[in-house]
Amino acid sequence: MSLPKPRVLIAEDEAIPRMGLRELLQDQGYEVVGEAADGNAAVELARELRPDIVVMDIMMPELDGISASRILAEERLAPVLLVTAYNDRELAERAKDAGVFAYVPKPFTEAQLVPQIELALSRFSEFQSLVKEAGDARAALETRKIVERAKGLLMQTQKMTENEAYRHIQRLSMNNRRTMREIAEAILLTQQG
C-alpha cells in the first residue's frame, strides 16, 4: 500500500500557468485542494484547507508570495515552495528569511519541481520537530538556520547527503541528551577552531 500523495494548494496569479501547474501536479498523483490568484487568498485558503504544501509564485497582487510565505511560516500552516521567473540573490535571501522551504525558478520541468516539493516537505517535517524541541516558532526558525549550516558543513566535510547529515545531528542529539541546536552549534564551532 503506497502512501497518499501530499495535498497541494497552488497560488499563482496568472490563470494559464496555474492551470498548467495543476495538471502537472495531478499527473504526478498530487491532490490539488485549492487555488489562489493572490497572496491574501493563499493565506486564507491555507488556513481553511490545511494543505500539506503550498506551491506559490513570488510576484502576485495584494500580498506577494514572500510576504504570504512569512505568514504561513509564522503560523506553521504548511511549507512553501516558491516558483518565480525572477532569479536573483536578493529574492532568494528574502525567501529564506521568510521561512520558505524550497525555491524553483521558472520555467521548470516536472523533474525539477517534484524533488523540490519532496525537499520542502522533508524540511518542514524537520522544522516541526525543531518547533517541538524549541517551544516556539521564532526560536525554531533560528534553530533551523543553525542546523541547516551544520548540515551543510557535514555534507561538505563528511560527504554526507542532506538526509544523512540531519539524521547524524539528530542521533547525536538523542545520544548526548542535548538539543539539536546545541549539537549543530558544536559542529559549527569545531570548524572555527
Side-chain angles (χ1 to χ4, degrees):
M1 187 171 120
S2 64
L3 294 173
K5 283 285 190 175
R7 300 168 64 249
V8 182
L9 170 64
I10 299 171
E12 163 67 66
D13 62 322
E14 295 182 36
I16 292 173
R18 188 171 58 239
M19 185 174 64
L21 184 55
R22 180 182 61 236
E23 287 175 9
L24 185 151
L25 291 167
Q26 288 173 334
D27 287 349
Q28 290 300 305
Y30 292 98
E31 179 186 356
V32 177
V33 295
E35 297 179 28
D38 66 72
N40 285 329
V43 170
E44 289 307 313
L45 277 175
R47 287 175 177 149
E48 177 187 330
L49 300 172
R50 301 290 178 169
D52 296 315
I53 188 164
V54 178
V55 177
M56 184 169 351
D57 190 18
I58 288 182
M59 300 300 180
M60 290 191 297
E62 295 186 37
L63 185 67
D64 71 25
I66 292 176
S67 300
S69 296
R70 184 178 311 281
I71 293 168
L72 295 176
E74 287 172 358
E75 295 182 20
R76 296 192 313 264
L77 291 172
V80 174
L81 167 64
L82 281 180
V83 294
T84 183
Y86 304 92
N87 194 9
D88 65 58
R89 189 176 297 272
E90 181 186 329
L91 272 178
E93 283 301 312
R94 281 185 56 220
K96 189 169 75 173
D97 290 342
V100 169
F101 286 86
Y103 180 97
V104 177
K106 290 179 185 176
F108 52 82
T109 64
E110 168 188 305
Q112 294 166 313
L113 183 67
V114 172
Q116 291 301 312
I117 289 173
E118 298 306 319
L119 178 63
L121 289 166
S122 174
R123 286 179 172 169
F124 188 68
S125 176
E126 291 172 10
F127 176 70
Q128 295 291 64
S129 296
L130 294 173
V131 168
K132 206 179 293 182
E133 182 179 288
D136 80 32
R138 198 165 305 283
L141 274 174
E142 286 305 309
T143 297
R144 176 178 167 232
K145 289 177 187 177
I146 293 167
V147 170
E148 287 293 321
R149 287 193 0 241
K151 281 188 338 188
L153 182 62
L154 289 172
M155 290 164 63
Q156 181 182 23
T157 60
Q158 305 296 313
K159 305 296 183 230
M160 293 180 175
T161 66
E162 184 174 4
N163 195 36
E164 288 169 342
Y166 179 78
R167 297 288 172 235
H168 179 72
I169 294 168
Q170 191 177 44
R171 201 169 25 259
L172 287 173
S173 170
M174 289 186 283
N175 291 346
N176 293 294
R177 291 190 173 89
R178 299 270 182 233
T179 66
M180 289 182 65
R181 182 177 182 149
E182 290 171 321
I183 297 299
E185 287 170 339
I187 290 168
L188 293 171
L189 277 175
T190 61
Q191 182 65 20
Q192 291 177 352

